[in-house]
């Protein structure tokens, strides 16, 4: 396994563990920790427009 593959595996293992813990006890969710798994900036699109926004407190994370 390459170094990149190992990093990706660790990322998904940790994400899965964090998600499962949140499902077991919603009150214990580390929201900023969960948000850290995602990009700093989100991009979306529709047939009419392309839009984006920062992954910050204003985005609900």
């Amino acid at each position: 396994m390459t170094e990149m593959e190992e990093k990706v595996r660790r990322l998904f293992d940790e994400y899965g563990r964090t998600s499962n813990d949140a499902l077991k006890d919603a009150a214990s969710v580390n929201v900023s920790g969960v948000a850290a798994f995602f990009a700093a900036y989100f991009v979306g699109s529709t047939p009419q427009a392309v839009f984006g926004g920062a992954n910050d407190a204003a985005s609900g994370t």
Side-chain angles (χ1 to χ4, degrees), residues 5-57:
E5 289 170 328
E6 289 175 11
K7 287 180 179 181
V8 170
R9 171 59 58 196
R10 281 193 304 271
L11 170 76
F12 280 102
D13 287 346
E14 187 175 342
Y15 178 77
R17 212 172 9 264
T18 301
S19 297
N20 287 336
D21 290 347
L23 290 171
K24 292 176 190 171
D25 182 12
S28 70
V29 175
N30 175 352
V31 176
S32 61
V34 173
F37 286 108
F38 297 92
Y41 192 84
F42 293 109
V43 176
S45 65
T46 68
Q48 294 78 27
V50 175
F51 52 91
N55 179 5
D56 59 14

